[in-house]
Amino acid sequence: MAASAPPASQGKSSEAELAVALADVPELCHLLENDPYLKPYATDFQRRYKKFSHILNNFGENEGGIDKFSRGYESFGVHRCADGGLYCKEWAPGAEGVFLTGEFSGWNPFSYPYKKLDYGKWELYIPPKQNKFVIVPHGSKLKVVITSKSGEILYRISPWAKYVVREGTNVNYDWIHWDPEHPYKFKHSRPKKPRSLRIYESHVGISSHEGKIASYKHFTCNVLPRIKDLGYNCIQLMAVMEHAYYASFGYQVTSFFAASSRYGTPEDLKELVDTAHSMGIIVLLDVVHSHASKNAEDGLNMFDGTDSCYFHSGPRGTHELWDSRLFAYSSWEVLRFLLSNIRWWLEEYCFDGFRFDGITSMLYHHHGMGQSFSGDYNEYFGLQVDEDALVYLMLANYLIHTLYPDSITIAEDVSGMPALCSPISQGGGGFDYRLAMAIPDKWIQLLKEFKDEDWNMGNIVHTLTNRRHLEKCIAYAESHDQALVGDKTLAFWLMDAEMYTNMSVLAPFTPVIDRGIQLHKMIRLITHALGGEGYLNFMGNEFGHPEWLDFPRKGNNESYHYARRQFHLTDDDLLRYKHLNNFDRDMNRLEERYGWLSAPQAYVSEKHEGNKVITFERANLLFIFNFHPSKSFTDYRVGTALPGKYKIVLDSDATEYGGHQRLDHNTDFFSEPFEHNGRHYSLLVYIPSRVALILQNVDLPN
């Protein structure tokens, strides 16, 4: 979002302070040139950057640098040594004693005590058996036993556990020692960073049409080929970090280093990522470092018997709305844990980057609760900002892009904090993209509150183009958020109950289905072409998935009916879902060819309220949208910057997209030197009602 200028009376930095800030932050001058309204807050950027640099220098002085510091998973947890022995290490500053137990010891809780080290660390070495036989075999169960200062005996899962499972009717997860004899070996290199980012947001568990939890292997074999065919070049995988409560959608993480076992083994997930790479598709992990589950027996909470350890103690350590725990980002060992977690997913599973969940909650002490974020710059600076969390995000982005320069990071921030997606060298957060979260809200609002003829074209264009200069956005018409129980997919908002009865191609269009199919395509294309520098779609929504998402829980009698994706609907030639699927595929393929997402922001030449027409140019293409529910226009004049002959390259009214085929694709449209809407040239086009068109100037090279 674009923000307003600050009041003159607030946020003032003196000229002397500004000069010092410019000297301390290498490229702050570029940030302030791009947005002079940020000048009064130069000292805030200076303070953040100096804090970041100070911690980075401390890593160098005390830990051998961030490279070594972020390898915590190589020593913490449980590891097989070259001699067949076992090395174990934990951080439990509030514990009186630490022990390892498990099947290997007959569950004797105190036979293997850890030795206490400085700074709350504990270590244990268990020598091998005489024949060097591994003392803890792959697949056996383990527990860390903590004796608290109050005398309690607590059984815990190591925060560094790589694999945990829930067996049968057990309430809690069990820690399984994962050390296979033949671990998965990646066969394919990471694809290069794509010019344009087209993201397929995915949840493995709901990827089957059957009423069950689908597997990594099912996704690899059945969904990856669909994603490739649809023209997406990036997958954003949700709910991978282990979470005890399936219905949390993966956002109440219990084991941060464990890939969720409900979908299969770690090796199965590696095969999924490797197969995606073989198709030229990059894979992002939906990483949750904004909070953690309150579970104690199979989570991080109360690990050492205290309410602190990895979290803030007292009220500051609990998110009231989410009922979860909040990390103490200023803690040295918490930074080690979180940065090592980032590196683990990059190195062990070869993920290509991250979508960081819940950034707004991290950035502010108020966690965004009860805040409307008007755009006043004073909302983004001052005491309400949690600079420890912000600096952690800067460190995470620094680590990610240092290890793998082609990696991609996306911030889920609803507040619109300035410079979050600016380089760290400018004092920014270092993210590559932010989610354009106002766009889906706008579409839902229009469908809920306004008649078609009352849609405001200027307001639509403003929402789609209102983003910060030089900070890239991921545009989307709907993500998983819009489909959660209590809401509906865009297709269901448009067509509702008629999707159950009137989607057959053998029956004539009803007014509801006709409107729904045409608007669904138009909404997605204008969002794709005008809304950002990347595009996101949630799995199944490309073909107009009906209904909503609801995971099995007590409130729905543990039903899987809505926790699935009905891909078979688009495979049925007798149903209209295939038309929406075809349009989504060709829209993505056309973007791949012309690259409008990586082109400069569009020039909008028309947003006509009476005609309900929007026209704009981007990537040497001419986009025309007629949102009018009934009016078609003959010889409609459309402005363009360049002379030449134009041809239709995408037409939402084509029969293969469920349209009415009112346009002849063999028609040539010739521009003339007739100024219109501020463009030097213009052409005359027939625009049927509820139609989106893309025209290419064939006199220009592709």
Side-chain angles (χ1 to χ4, degrees):
M1 63 181 282
S4 59
S9 61
Q10 291 184 291
K12 281 249 179 186
S13 293
S14 70
E15 288 300 317
E17 288 173 327
L18 176 60
V20 174
L22 288 168
D24 283 343
V25 185
E27 297 179 2
L28 180 60
C29 58
H30 297 313
L31 180 68
L32 302 185
E33 284 169 13
N34 292 327
D35 187 354
Y37 287 142
L38 289 174
K39 278 187 179 178
Y41 306 99
T43 53
D44 290 84
F45 290 108
Q46 175 196 30
R47 185 174 59 255
R48 296 169 184 179
Y49 184 82
K50 287 184 75 173
K51 196 168 188 176
F52 159 81
S53 298
H54 177 70
I55 295 173
L56 206 57
N57 290 335
N58 276 351
F59 289 161
E61 292 171 9
N62 299 293
E63 299 273 358
I66 194 171
D67 179 71
K68 287 186 179 179
F69 185 73
S70 61
R71 296 176 182 269
Y73 53 82
E74 292 181 356
S75 57
F76 285 85
V78 173
H79 301 273
R80 173 166 48 91
C81 304
D83 64 0
L86 209 66
Y87 180 75
C88 314
K89 192 175 183 181
E90 296 295 344
W91 179 61
E96 187 68 29
V98 180
F99 307 83
L100 185 72
T101 189
E103 292 176 322
F104 79 101
S105 66
W107 293 107
N108 185 321
F110 305 121
S111 54
Y112 290 96
Y114 285 64
K115 175 187 173 185
K116 190 173 185 178
L117 307 175
D118 292 337
Y119 308 112
K121 297 173 189 173
W122 303 76
E123 72 173 359
L124 165 66
Y125 173 72
I126 305 175
K129 295 182 178 179
Q130 287 184 342
N131 58 3
K132 288 198 174 182
F133 186 76
V134 178
I135 193 165
V136 178
H138 166 66
S140 61
K141 294 179 183 177
L142 295 171
K143 284 278 188 183
V144 173
V145 180
I146 303 282
T147 54
S148 73
K149 288 184 165 59
S150 61
E152 289 181 283
I153 300 172
L154 307 169
Y155 287 81
R156 296 287 187 254
I157 290 174
S158 169
W160 305 82
K162 299 171 187 173
Y163 190 58
V164 297
V165 300
R166 177 186 282 159
E167 294 183 344
T169 57
N170 289 356
V171 174
N172 295 320
Y173 275 73
D174 290 315
W175 171 21
I176 305 295
H177 182 55
W178 192 259
D179 186 21
E181 186 179 353
H182 302 290
Y184 185 88
K185 291 205 168 28
F186 284 83
K187 306 174 185 67
H188 306 281
S189 58
R190 300 169 187 264
K192 290 182 179 178
K193 187 177 184 177
R195 175 183 65 165
S196 302
L197 203 58
R198 301 182 300 275
I199 304 171
Y200 198 79
E201 186 185 29
S202 304
H203 186 292
V204 169
I206 66 171
S207 64
S208 165
H209 71 273
E210 298 179 71
K212 64 178 185 181
I213 298 176
S215 67
Y216 295 122
K217 284 190 173 292
H218 169 86
F219 190 93
T220 301
C221 296
N222 297 283
V223 185
L224 282 182
R226 291 182 184 274
I227 297 170
K228 176 66 174 174
D229 181 66
L230 283 164
Y232 291 93
N233 56 17
C234 175
I235 298 166
Q236 181 179 300
L237 273 186
M238 309 173 60
V240 168
M241 301 167 76
E242 190 59 272
H243 47 293
Y245 185 42
Y246 188 44
S248 76
F249 225 137
Y251 293 122
Q252 292 278 349
V253 176
T254 44
S255 290
F256 284 76
F257 286 83
S260 182
S261 61
R262 53 172 56 86
Y263 318 126
T265 68
E267 314 312 299
D268 294 340
L269 175 57
K270 292 173 186 177
E271 182 185 33
L272 188 163
V273 175
D274 198 22
T275 306
H277 286 169
S278 76
M279 297 176 172
I281 298 171
I282 64 171
V283 189
L284 307 181
L285 177 71
D286 199 347
V287 70
V288 186
H289 282 180
S290 49
H291 64 133
S293 167
K294 285 180 77 173
N295 286 21
E297 290 196 29
D298 54 6
L300 275 185
N301 192 22
M302 304 289 291
F303 174 68
D304 65 354
T306 72
D307 81 327
S308 53
C309 196
Y310 288 92
F311 309 109
H312 291 293
S313 182
R316 190 182 173 192
T318 302
H319 195 296
E320 293 178 9
L321 195 63
W322 295 345
D323 193 32
S324 54
R325 297 303 314 273
L326 297 171
F327 287 106
Y329 298 104
S330 60
S331 164
W332 191 260
E333 291 304 324
V334 171
L335 287 177
R336 187 197 307 277
F337 180 78
L338 294 176
L339 291 172
S340 297
N341 190 234
I342 288 288
R343 184 166 193 153
W344 169 256
W345 295 106
L346 289 170
E347 302 268 8
E348 183 72 11
Y349 289 93
C350 290
F351 279 97
D352 303 290
F354 303 91
R355 178 262 202 188
F356 279 75
D357 174 70
I359 293 295
T360 309
S361 175
M362 298 175 69
L363 292 175
Y364 308 96
H365 293 296
H366 53 61
H367 308 302
M369 293 187 290
Q371 303 293 315
S372 59
F373 293 107
S374 65
D376 186 319
Y377 271 20
N378 289 298
E379 296 169 342
Y380 306 117
F381 302 95
L383 295 177
Q384 67 264 37
V385 177
D386 187 339
E387 292 194 344
D388 291 332
L390 178 53
V391 168
Y392 161 67
L393 293 171
M394 294 168 71
L395 290 165
N397 275 307
Y398 176 84
L399 174 68
I400 293 162
H401 293 108
T402 301
L403 288 173
Y404 297 99
D406 274 356
S407 290
I408 292 168
T409 58
I410 303 170
E412 189 215 22
D413 169 41
V414 74
S415 76
M417 175 176 272
L420 193 61
C421 299
S422 296
I424 294 170
S425 58
Q426 296 181 9
F431 284 95
D432 296 298
Y433 297 88
R434 69 165 86 232
L435 291 175
M437 300 182 73
I439 296 175
D441 291 345
K442 174 56 61 179
W443 291 123
I444 294 295
Q445 181 201 20
L446 288 173
L447 293 175
K448 279 183 178 180
E449 300 177 10
F450 295 92
K451 296 177 181 178
D452 295 7
E453 53 267 32
D454 295 331
W455 285 16
N456 186 297
M457 299 296 104
N459 186 244
I460 290 172
V461 169
H462 175 74
T463 303
L464 289 168
T465 57
N466 182 28
R467 51 191 187 269
R468 293 188 56 79
H469 181 53
L470 298 181
E471 293 194 47
K472 294 179 181 178
C473 284
I474 303 293
Y476 59 108
E478 53 184 335
S479 68
H480 72 274
D481 283 326
Q482 282 67 45
L484 290 173
V485 64
D487 215 326
K488 296 185 278 195
T489 63
L490 277 181
F492 214 54
W493 276 115
L494 286 161
M495 296 176 277
D496 218 333
E498 287 204 24
M499 295 188 80
Y500 298 121
T501 55
N502 297 328
M503 288 295 278
S504 171
V505 298
L506 301 177
F509 267 130
T510 65
V512 168
I513 296 297
D514 189 13
R515 169 184 179 265
I517 284 181
Q518 309 320 327
L519 284 179
H520 193 273
K521 293 176 290 187
M522 296 180 71
I523 287 170
R524 299 177 86 72
L525 179 58
I526 197 170
T527 301
H528 203 308
L530 193 57
E533 291 69 40
Y535 177 75
L536 177 143
N537 163 65
F538 180 64
M539 62 187 304
N541 289 354
E542 69 277 1
F543 64 81
H545 201 283
E547 303 171 331
W548 51 84
L549 273 172
D550 189 13
F551 287 81
R553 54 189 175 84
K554 286 182 180 179
N556 63 14
N557 295 318
E558 304 296 335
S559 171
Y560 284 87
H561 180 75
Y562 297 109
R564 59 196 180 110
R565 296 278 95 178
Q566 301 178 60
F567 287 111
H568 62 287
L569 295 175
T570 191
D571 297 334
D572 191 333
D573 280 339
L574 296 179
L575 296 177
R576 299 187 189 275
Y577 296 98
K578 65 179 182 181
H579 297 143
L580 298 178
N581 193 80
N582 292 343
F583 184 79
D584 200 81
R585 176 198 65 207
D586 291 352
M587 175 176 69
N588 282 322
R589 289 180 179 180
L590 202 65
E591 197 288 324
E592 173 67 22
R593 183 177 170 188
Y594 293 101
W596 62 69
L597 288 170
S598 57
Q601 191 164 326
Y603 181 91
V604 181
S605 59
E606 182 167 337
K607 37 194 174 180
H608 198 294
E609 299 304 338
N611 295 339
K612 302 301 175 193
V613 171
I614 296 171
T615 66
F616 58 87
E617 295 158 278
R618 193 176 187 188
N620 291 324
L621 295 173
L622 180 57
F623 295 81
I624 305 169
F625 292 82
N626 178 8
F627 280 98
H628 203 286
S630 58
K631 280 187 183 178
S632 298
F633 301 100
T634 304
D635 290 339
Y636 197 91
R637 188 167 292 280
V638 178
T640 180
L642 300 169
K645 181 173 74 174
Y646 288 77
K647 291 189 79 72
I648 295 171
V649 290
L650 188 66
D651 167 20
S652 69
D653 203 42
T655 51
E656 62 265 36
Y657 309 140
H660 300 285
Q661 198 65 64
R662 289 169 285 179
L663 288 155
D664 181 358
H665 290 199
N666 294 317
T667 303
D668 295 328
F669 303 92
F670 293 92
S671 69
E672 50 186 327
F674 188 98
E675 188 171 339
H676 184 69
N677 286 340
R679 310 309 268 165
H680 291 305
Y681 300 87
S682 59
L683 57 153
L684 299 175
V685 186
Y686 169 50
I687 320 174
S689 61
R690 286 201 184 117
V691 161
L693 297 174
I694 304 179
L695 275 60
Q696 179 212 352
N697 187 330
V698 296
D699 291 340
L700 295 174
N702 285 355

